[in-house]
Structures are given as C-alpha cells and as structure tokens.
Amino acid sequence: MNAAIRAVVRAALFNGIEVFGIQRGYQGLLNQDIRPMDLRSVGDIIQRGGTILQSARCQEFRTEEGQRKGADILRAQGIDGLIVIGGDGSYQGANKLSKLGIKTMGLPGTIDNDISYTDYTIGFDTAVSIVVDAVNKLRDTMSSHERSSVVEVMGRHCGDIALYAGVASGAESILVPEVPFDIDEVAQRMKHNFEAGKRHSIVIVAEGVGRGEDVAQGIIERCPTVEPRVTVLGHIQRGGTPTAFDRILASRLGDFAVRKLMEGDSGKGCGMIRGELVATDIDKVVNTKKEFNMELYELATRLSQ
C-alpha cells in the first residue's frame, strides 16, 4: 500500500494538486484525522510493508448517517476527490461516497486477490512470495527428517494464495474453497508418494477450507505412517518487503487513479487486466465474484503426480 500512497501523492503534486492523507481509513475520516502530504511525506516508503496511513475498521461508516457525515467532512475540508486503497469493505464505502457526490477511485489493496476486474491486487504477489519462501524452508526440514507438512495460508473465500504459492513451490496437494476435495484422495496421494520413494510431501490449505490441524488429522487417520506436521503462517503473510511486481503494480494504479479523477471520472475501481490499466464501475466490481483460475489449478494437479 505504501507504494500506492507514494504514487498517488507524487502524481497529484506533479499535476499541481494539493494532497491530504487520512489516517486509519474511514474511522480517521469521521474523526477528521486528516493531514496535508508533500514529497517528504512519502519519501523512503516504497520498500516498506504495511501502510504509513494505517488502517482501522469503522462500524459507524457502515450506516447512512456515518456515510453522510464522512461526505460532509470531505466537503468542509475542501477535498473533492478521494482515493481509497483496500478490499471489498473499502470499495463499498467509496461507492457510497460516490453516490453522495464525492468523486472516488478505488485501488485493490488486499493480499487475498479477491477483487474482480483486476488480475492482481496490491500485496498479493508479496504474500505469495512469503508463502513460497516459508515452504522452501519447510522442504529442507521435511526432506531431512522424511516427513510431510500441511501449511495453512490465508484465503477465507478466495484460494489464490494457496493456488499460486502451491504451483510455485511444487506442492503435492492444494486445497482451496472454490474446489471440493476428497481427504481420502489427499491421504492416498501422500501414501503413494512415500511408497514410490519420495521422502517428503507438502499440502497447502487455504483457511477457507478448514484448519490445517483438521486436514492433518484426517490424513493421519487414513495413513498413520505419514504423520504430517502443521504450520500456520497466519499474519506473517501480511508483512515483509514488497516485491518488485507489487511496487510497480501499486505505482501504476496510483498514478492511474489520479489521472482518472483529473478527467472527471468517479465511482470506479482501478485494476490491471492482461497488463492494461482499466477502470470499472465500483457497483460492478463489488457485485461480481472473482473468477477462480481453474486452468492453473488443473496445471497444479497435473504437475503434482
């Protein structure tokens, strides 16, 4: 998100536009925690994870009264364009403000990659890289001790982190909420691998499927000799130095959002599809489910044999 903030601020200043940063999202808006930003405000942040503007949930902004209050505060501050970085909730808020007359643009900032009308969200590539690095380290241990590992990753409703990390790390099984799985088949595959001389096996589980501990227990009940160990990566996936891909994506999207506002556009979600920048009505974005990449899932299945 910092790379996106940096791009928005610098692109706006380049075009002679005054920029303000709102601390802690919609909660900060209602608290009027708003401060001017300049070039020095975003210096030395492109390589930092997280967000210098911080983040917070805001129940009040879910109400019509809270949304009207937010729009009134923006007008009183002389702010006529708002760029929001986040996931579905952030987009919903931007959509409401747009309907109240505030020009808004949404940037897809969520590691789950669950925003439609963009191939990738800001932070997704970094999260996948962190998972792959963790699996690489686990493989060293599993191979040395001739054991298997179940790795639980984030993805409550979207299994993209598990899918992409699984393909990149050569996982034997990838369990995602979009595709039903058979625990008997998973266990038998692990057993077959060991019988064929393989000394370790990796199963990646998206949290939306269930707990890694439960998956491991199901495997043990069917193949007691496998005895997989469980690793829950948790919030470690949300931190770390952003990848070059994420920095470039965020920079392109941030600059694009500023240019779209300057053109008078509003109520749009910015994204990148097949390398091209696109702006889609937020109404359409928040009411469309991201299509799961079955082609990549089937590739993972073929390569895991």
Side-chain angles (χ1 to χ4, degrees):
M1 288 188 178
N2 282 327
I5 294 168
R6 174 181 179 272
V8 168
V9 171
R10 295 196 171 196
L13 293 174
F14 178 84
N15 288 285
I17 300 171
E18 192 174 7
V19 189
F20 293 86
I22 302 175
Q23 294 288 144
R24 299 177 183 85
Y26 295 126
Q27 186 63 61
L29 172 59
L30 298 185
N31 292 340
Q32 300 190 54
D33 192 358
I34 304 170
R35 58 184 175 86
M37 300 189 76
D38 55 24
L39 290 176
R40 279 181 289 181
S41 301
V42 293
D44 196 33
I45 69 169
I46 194 170
Q47 80 284 2
R48 292 167 55 185
T51 163
I52 61 168
L53 292 177
Q54 301 177 296
S55 179
R57 298 188 184 278
C58 182
Q59 291 299 322
E60 184 182 357
F61 198 77
R62 293 176 179 270
T63 67
E64 291 186 12
E65 181 181 354
Q67 293 153 13
R68 287 194 296 270
K69 179 181 175 182
D72 290 341
I73 289 171
L74 289 169
R75 293 191 187 95
Q77 293 277 349
I79 297 173
D80 53 12
L82 180 70
I83 295 176
V84 176
I85 312 171
D88 184 72
S90 300
Y91 271 45
Q92 295 278 8
N95 198 26
K96 297 294 185 183
L97 288 173
S98 178
K99 296 182 186 305
L100 291 171
I102 302 297
K103 290 182 179 179
T104 62
M105 283 287 153
L107 298 185
T110 164
I111 67 168
D112 288 341
N113 204 39
D114 58 351
I115 298 290
S116 62
Y117 294 97
T118 186
D119 290 337
Y120 302 106
T121 56
I122 299 167
F124 171 68
D125 187 68
T126 301
V128 170
S129 296
I130 289 169
V131 174
V132 171
D133 181 62
V135 172
N136 288 342
K137 292 180 171 65
L138 284 170
R139 276 197 182 277
D140 292 341
T141 300
M142 295 301 106
S143 179
S144 298
H145 294 274
E146 298 186 333
R147 289 175 180 165
S148 295
S149 186
V150 173
V151 182
E152 181 186 320
V153 303
M154 285 186 165
R156 193 170 302 280
H157 304 292
C158 177
D160 276 15
I161 291 178
L163 174 60
Y164 283 72
V167 172
S169 60
E172 282 70 27
S173 293
I174 303 170
L175 310 185
V176 294
E178 293 89 346
V179 183
F181 73 95
D182 184 345
I183 191 64
D184 290 322
E185 181 182 336
V186 174
Q188 287 303 314
R189 176 179 295 182
M190 295 178 75
K191 181 180 178 182
H192 173 75
N193 286 341
F194 273 83
E195 289 174 347
K198 197 166 187 177
R199 296 298 88 191
H200 64 276
S201 189
I202 300 284
V203 179
I204 296 187
V205 182
E207 63 182 339
V209 169
R211 297 192 318 135
E213 290 284 354
D214 294 334
V215 172
Q217 185 58 42
I219 293 171
I220 292 171
E221 289 172 358
R222 290 159 178 80
C223 298
T225 57
V226 174
E227 198 179 0
R229 300 294 193 269
V230 180
T231 300
V232 181
L233 294 182
H235 281 78
I236 192 174
Q237 297 156 88
R238 291 187 176 274
T241 302
T243 61
F245 180 89
D246 264 335
R247 298 184 202 190
I248 294 169
L249 174 66
S251 297
R252 291 185 67 189
L253 289 174
D255 174 76
F256 182 63
V258 171
R259 289 189 283 115
K260 296 304 288 184
L261 284 177
M262 291 175 61
E263 292 169 4
D265 220 339
S266 178
K268 298 292 177 65
C270 299
M272 186 178 72
I273 298 177
R274 298 183 184 90
E276 298 294 325
L277 295 169
V278 297
T280 308
D281 287 341
I282 291 183
D283 264 332
K284 196 172 183 179
V285 174
V286 298
N287 289 301
T288 304
K289 182 176 174 57
K290 181 79 176 278
E291 186 176 344
F292 185 68
N293 192 336
M294 278 303 300
E295 181 182 353
L296 189 62
Y297 182 84
E298 290 166 357
L299 170 65
T301 302
R302 293 194 298 272
L303 297 185
S304 65
Q305 300 303 315

